Amino acid sequence: MDFVTDLRGEARQWLPTLGYQDADQLSDAEALTLYLRIHHRIPQPRPRSFHRPAESLPTLSRKEKAGLAQLQREVEQGKPLRPRLSTTLLSRSADPLFNDWGVMHFHLGNRLQPDGFVKRTKHTAYAVVERDRFLLLAVLPHQPRPYEDTELLRRWQANWPDSIARFQVDAKVDDGTREISKDPALILAYRDKGYNVSTVVGGRTYLPMGGGVTVDGGAVDALMEENRLTYEARWLQRDWQAQFPGQSGRLRFGYQEFVVQDSAGNLWHQQAAGQAFSPVTGGLLRATHAIWIELGLS
């Protein structure tokens, strides 16, 4: 019985639900890493208020205008936004704009393609997606890409200062950080090397709003989630073996909390590490990624 191995194997099974079809070519460890990287880039479907910036939007084609209106409806209705994301979502490529600044971009096509993504458009919507708000920063041409343009952050700062303020630091910033913030080429170079630096906008200094990038280009937040799940799988196995010695079990992936399912279908959960397992009451289960356990109790 090894819950960490179970966790990684379950991630391989879940990758196809995100649209990734080559999971059988990955090791179990790679599957968990990739699953969490992809999942991290997909806004969870839930109704959000849609907010536009004070700055005017560019002239869009008729189809792009319709696509932007459709995007707003999808946001407000809590529809899945995955089809509007970059097709690099299903590759091992990173999203440096999102990982560094927390800004996502959405294509404005209205026709779903066979690959599960909407038709690509000349202009894309750049936004910050919060739990309950969708903050539209700008609609800009996809090429040349504006991924290192601090104008995106200036708009975030000007339109929703309450949102970006939580990333602000008051520490003194050296001239090197200021120079990097002025030069898109330097921002790109630092991201490519996996270096995390503060960004200066409007005289204020901000830590990476997207959580930062790892040396291999991934998201720091996704890596931290992987470490958390792995650690929790280990202590959950320890606690289960202590409470039910000799009982084998299997870790399963799928609910928001750790849950144990016995052979009769009853669910059990643990309030905190080291505490006894107790029966699950109504309302605990919510469909999103996390962990539960299927155990063969005799």
Side-chain angles (χ1 to χ4, degrees):
M1 183 172 66
D2 186 336
F3 283 3
V4 172
T5 298
D6 293 342
L7 171 63
R8 292 169 175 170
E10 285 289 299
R12 178 197 301 279
Q13 300 301 315
W14 277 75
L15 272 170
T17 68
L18 300 180
Y20 188 84
Q21 302 302 323
D22 298 321
D24 58 342
Q25 299 179 19
L26 303 173
S27 69
D28 285 348
E30 290 173 332
L32 178 59
T33 298
L34 185 59
Y35 172 83
L36 292 173
R37 284 189 180 185
I38 295 175
H39 191 280
H40 177 63
R41 292 175 62 181
I42 302 175
Q44 295 305 294
R46 58 178 293 113
R48 294 177 172 90
S49 56
F50 190 97
H51 301 264
R52 293 174 179 256
E55 294 82 0
S56 60
L57 300 180
T59 301
L60 302 176
S61 69
R62 179 179 57 82
K63 291 184 178 180
E64 288 176 330
K65 287 180 180 178
L68 182 59
Q70 180 61 27
L71 170 62
Q72 180 169 348
R73 287 192 293 271
E74 291 167 357
V75 167
E76 293 173 342
Q77 294 171 11
K79 302 291 185 181
L81 301 179
R82 177 192 173 280
R84 298 192 177 278
L85 298 177
S86 169
T87 54
T88 64
L89 176 71
L90 302 183
S91 71
R92 301 195 190 193
S93 299
D95 185 344
L97 174 62
F98 178 56
N99 293 343
D100 188 5
W101 290 348
V103 176
M104 311 187 78
H105 68 280
F106 301 87
H107 284 268
L108 303 178
N110 279 320
R111 190 170 62 206
L112 194 64
Q113 305 296 296
D115 61 2
F117 293 91
V118 298
K119 185 175 177 60
R120 308 290 89 176
T121 50
K122 176 182 177 181
H123 290 85
T124 51
Y126 291 82
V128 173
V129 182
E130 299 180 334
R131 186 179 188 276
D132 297 308
R133 297 191 300 179
F134 183 100
L135 310 180
L136 179 65
L137 304 178
V139 177
L140 300 169
H142 194 231
Q143 296 294 339
R145 66 181 203 173
Y147 294 179
E148 297 82 32
D149 189 349
T150 55
E151 171 64 14
L152 292 170
L153 302 185
R154 189 203 65 76
R155 292 192 179 196
W156 188 358
Q157 182 188 73
N159 289 279
W160 301 282
D162 63 307
S163 172
I164 198 172
R166 65 187 185 276
F167 304 107
Q168 183 178 341
V169 292
D170 296 326
K172 183 179 180 180
V173 179
D174 60 34
D175 291 338
T177 300
R178 296 182 188 280
E179 291 305 311
I180 293 169
S181 300
K182 296 176 183 178
D183 189 340
L186 283 177
I187 294 173
L188 175 61
Y190 273 76
R191 286 176 178 171
D192 285 346
K193 292 182 179 296
Y195 295 159
N196 293 293
V197 297
S198 302
T199 306
V200 179
V201 181
R204 294 185 173 91
T205 304
Y206 300 96
L207 295 175
M209 290 70 84
V213 298
T214 59
V215 174
D216 65 352
V220 169
D221 284 353
L223 177 61
M224 292 176 66
E225 178 73 353
E226 181 178 353
N227 291 339
R228 183 188 70 80
L229 290 174
T230 301
Y231 172 78
E232 291 190 17
R234 289 193 178 112
W235 65 247
L236 190 58
Q237 179 174 331
R238 178 202 65 194
D239 288 352
W240 182 264
Q241 289 174 323
Q243 185 172 341
F244 301 103
Q247 299 292 346
S248 63
R250 180 185 175 194
L251 193 69
R252 301 299 302 274
F253 213 33
Y255 292 137
Q256 193 169 11
E257 301 193 28
F258 286 114
V259 182
V260 174
Q261 184 175 25
D262 63 27
S263 57
N266 301 312
L267 298 175
W268 305 75
H269 72 112
Q270 190 181 49
Q271 293 288 352
Q275 293 187 5
F277 288 83
S278 58
V280 169
T281 57
L284 176 68
L285 302 184
R286 296 179 292 276
T288 182
H289 93 268
I291 298 175
W292 80 95
I293 303 174
E294 178 183 304
L295 296 148
L297 299 180
S298 58

